[in-house]
Amino acid sequence: MSFFSFLSDLLNKIFPPAPDPVPTLSIGEIAAANENFDILEAALGATGLDAVFTAPGDFTVFAPTDAAFIELASNTLGLDVAGKSDAEIAGLLVGALGTETLSDVLKYHVRDGAATVSQLQDQGTVATLLPGASFDVNGTTLVDADPEVENPDFITGLTNIGATNGVIQAIDRVLLPIDVQEAMLRPTIADVAESNDSFEVLDAALKATGLDAVVDDRDASFTVFAPTDDAFRKLADDLDLDVSHLADADIAGALVGALGATLVTDVLLYHVKAGGATLAELQDTRLVDTALEGAKLGIDGTELVDADPEIANASFISGLTDISTANGEIQAIDRVLIPLDLPKVESQHEFGTRKDDILFGGGENDFLFGRKGADIIVGGAGDDYMIGGRGKDLLVDGAGDDRFVGGLGADSFDFTDLSGKNVVRDFFFRDELILSKDDFADAQAVLDSAVSTKRGLKIETDDASIMLRNVHSLDENDFVLV
């Protein structure tokens, strides 16, 4: 050991260095107080991630400075930031990328567990809070997933900043988990409808009803069952509306004139579900809640079962399904889907086959019998009588006073849209009720609402009821709350 090393060790023993101060601020509080991170703070707030970094935890946050975000906005995304405040620049980023993409970008800047720069350099690869996404640490450089944009570096003097819930490592550019320019260029559902020649009527109808703005929202996610122009012409024929002399783009105006804007809006909402879904996922789901309140849609293989029994059902169009967009999926169909209230139909008797069927009630008092198979039966607007038959069936409450017979098998009775005075005649074996948390706060609320009568157990809300015939007790295994 040299004399100088010996002297240094001796001095350290006599005068040990002061320990690092114990952090008193969270990562979020440090970002809020440090003028280098104003845009980061605003972006976290816009995406709702700010609460994560003020709560207890243990994170490493790779924190881009304001200059790093300005570089992304101006040079990578081509946004005009001249004269803009930090908050305004954050707003430009939200508008350009959308909340969902910006949230993914921010999650890509966080790893679980506090780590110093030297520890990160030793580990080499950083697994981030964005599922499946990581980046590499090569000396002082962080290598991200966008090959076209310059990689960030750690900023000397702004690393290893301790916090009560982790550590901050400042960086001079924004880490990118994707090619952000490509993400910005991806079309929305509205863009596809406007640019694809198969959807001229749909595009015009969306614009006529104002729904084009909804499916142009990059922060949202939808599945749109998109009727082609030929599908709208078939609808016009079904309604005895002569559109043979009209161009495709003019058919929407004719339908609005004949049916009214409100009804056309309802029809279009019946073609939308929340959340993007592939064709395979839809086929597995079988029953879809649409954006039209209380209206459901059945998926039976390649066929879509709507609420009108008199008009032929739609089918998916091969080659025009699973069209991915910036805000969801487009599934093209060959007929327009008809919701419950278009048109009103007379009382009907619908019988299933020996397979797995989907039956919908109409606007009057209907009789629906699934027979064999795992059937889905959805009541309509009238007082309906629904019988599942043999098999594991799902019977869904309609708008009227309905009667249910599940039949043999472990059946489910869906009362999530509970209305009317309903009677279940055979609640036994492994049957279950599906109830909504909007009607019952918790399981105890269901049990408290159940009143025993001579005919059975009656479950009541303020304006609806379910009579379970010949049932006199209920426990939490008999129902689920969703």
Side-chain angles (χ1 to χ4, degrees):
M1 177 182 293
S2 70
F3 172 75
F4 293 106
S5 297
F6 171 77
L7 182 60
S8 175
D9 288 344
L10 181 62
L11 290 173
N12 283 333
K13 291 178 181 178
I14 298 172
F15 305 106
D20 292 334
V22 176
T24 59
L25 298 177
S26 68
I27 292 170
E29 290 169 333
I30 292 172
N34 191 314
E35 62 182 11
N36 289 296
F37 303 126
D38 289 342
I39 299 179
L40 174 62
E41 180 193 6
L44 290 170
T47 55
L49 294 174
D50 51 339
V52 175
F53 302 115
T54 56
D58 187 31
F59 304 103
T60 301
V61 174
F62 302 88
T65 60
D66 293 337
F69 277 109
I70 291 171
E71 176 74 18
L72 172 68
S74 60
N75 292 339
T76 302
L77 303 181
L79 303 175
D80 182 9
V81 299
K84 301 289 194 306
S85 67
D86 291 337
E88 289 171 332
I89 293 171
L92 289 176
L93 291 170
V94 172
L97 296 176
T99 305
E100 185 174 347
T101 298
L102 182 57
S103 178
D104 286 347
V105 169
L106 294 175
K107 291 175 184 175
Y108 192 57
H109 287 73
V110 186
R111 64 156 258 167
D112 193 14
T116 65
V117 170
S118 61
Q119 289 171 331
L120 294 166
Q121 291 167 331
D122 289 342
Q123 292 168 6
T125 298
V126 174
T128 74
L129 293 191
L130 181 61
S134 62
F135 61 83
D136 294 331
V137 177
N138 185 2
T140 61
T141 301
L142 296 81
V143 183
D144 65 17
D146 192 324
E148 298 176 355
V149 179
E150 186 178 345
N151 288 316
D153 288 303
F154 293 111
I155 298 176
T156 303
L158 279 177
T159 57
N160 299 333
I161 302 172
T164 57
N165 54 351
V167 63
I168 295 175
Q169 310 290 359
I171 54 178
D172 64 359
R173 288 182 182 271
V174 177
L175 289 164
L176 300 174
I178 55 172
D179 187 327
V180 293
Q181 290 177 317
E182 181 180 306
M184 284 182 66
L185 295 175
R186 287 189 71 198
T188 63
I189 292 170
D191 292 333
V192 173
E194 185 174 39
S195 62
N196 192 309
D197 291 342
S198 297
F199 303 128
E200 288 188 36
V201 184
L202 176 61
D203 176 51
L206 289 169
K207 290 174 178 175
T209 57
L211 293 176
D212 58 322
V214 176
V215 292
D216 196 38
D217 184 358
R218 289 180 180 271
D219 289 339
S221 178
F222 305 105
T223 300
V224 171
F225 304 98
T228 61
D229 296 336
D230 287 342
F232 278 105
R233 288 189 179 275
K234 291 175 186 176
L235 174 63
D237 287 341
D238 291 332
L239 298 175
D240 295 325
L241 184 64
D242 183 12
V243 296
S244 58
H245 60 292
L246 295 178
D248 289 337
D250 297 325
I251 293 175
L255 289 170
V256 171
L259 301 175
T262 299
L263 193 50
V264 172
T265 300
D266 286 348
V267 171
L268 293 176
L269 289 173
Y270 192 54
H271 289 73
V272 180
K273 85 173 263 320
T278 65
L279 176 57
E281 289 169 339
L282 293 166
Q283 290 168 329
D284 287 342
T285 302
R286 294 192 71 204
L287 191 64
V288 173
D289 286 310
T290 73
L292 179 60
E293 185 176 359
K296 299 178 186 292
L297 173 68
I299 308 293
D300 189 3
T302 60
E303 187 175 74
L304 299 90
V305 184
D306 65 17
D308 192 316
E310 295 186 342
I311 295 179
N313 286 324
S315 294
F316 294 105
I317 299 176
S318 178
L320 278 177
T321 58
D322 292 339
I323 302 174
S324 294
T325 74
N327 59 345
E329 299 283 335
I330 294 176
Q331 310 290 352
I333 55 178
D334 63 1
R335 277 188 172 271
V336 177
L337 301 168
I338 307 300
L340 187 63
D341 54 0
L342 175 68
K344 296 291 185 184
V345 296
E346 300 298 325
S347 296
Q348 56 179 316
H349 287 67
E350 287 288 310
F351 293 88
T353 65
R354 295 177 180 270
K355 299 180 180 179
D356 299 342
D357 298 306
I358 302 174
L359 304 177
F360 282 88
E364 300 297 330
N365 304 330
D366 305 313
F367 178 84
L368 308 169
F369 184 15
R371 301 175 71 182
K372 289 186 177 180
D375 305 313
I376 297 174
I377 304 176
V378 183
D383 300 337
D384 303 316
Y385 194 172
M386 291 172 264
I387 303 176
R390 299 181 64 179
K392 187 176 181 180
D393 304 312
L394 172 63
L395 287 75
V396 184
D397 185 28
D401 299 336
D402 300 320
R403 290 177 292 167
F404 301 83
V405 179
L408 297 177
D411 303 309
S412 297
F413 301 90
D414 187 341
F415 290 101
T416 51
D417 293 319
L418 179 59
S419 65
K421 299 177 180 178
N422 304 284
V423 178
V424 179
R425 300 179 63 91
D426 66 334
F427 191 74
F428 58 88
F429 193 45
R430 294 193 301 272
D431 296 342
E432 69 174 2
L433 302 174
I434 305 175
L435 305 171
S436 172
K437 291 180 181 178
D438 291 337
D439 295 317
F440 303 96
D442 51 32
Q444 190 58 48
V446 178
L447 298 175
D448 291 343
S449 74
V451 178
S452 183
T453 71
K454 289 183 179 180
R455 293 187 175 183
L457 203 64
K458 191 174 187 180
I459 300 172
E460 291 186 287
T461 65
D462 291 339
D463 52 8
S465 64
I466 308 165
M467 170 64 77
L468 303 177
R469 291 288 295 272
N470 300 316
V471 174
H472 296 284
S473 65
L474 196 70
D475 63 41
E476 293 184 20
N477 295 319
D478 294 321
F479 58 86
V480 294
L481 285 170
V482 296

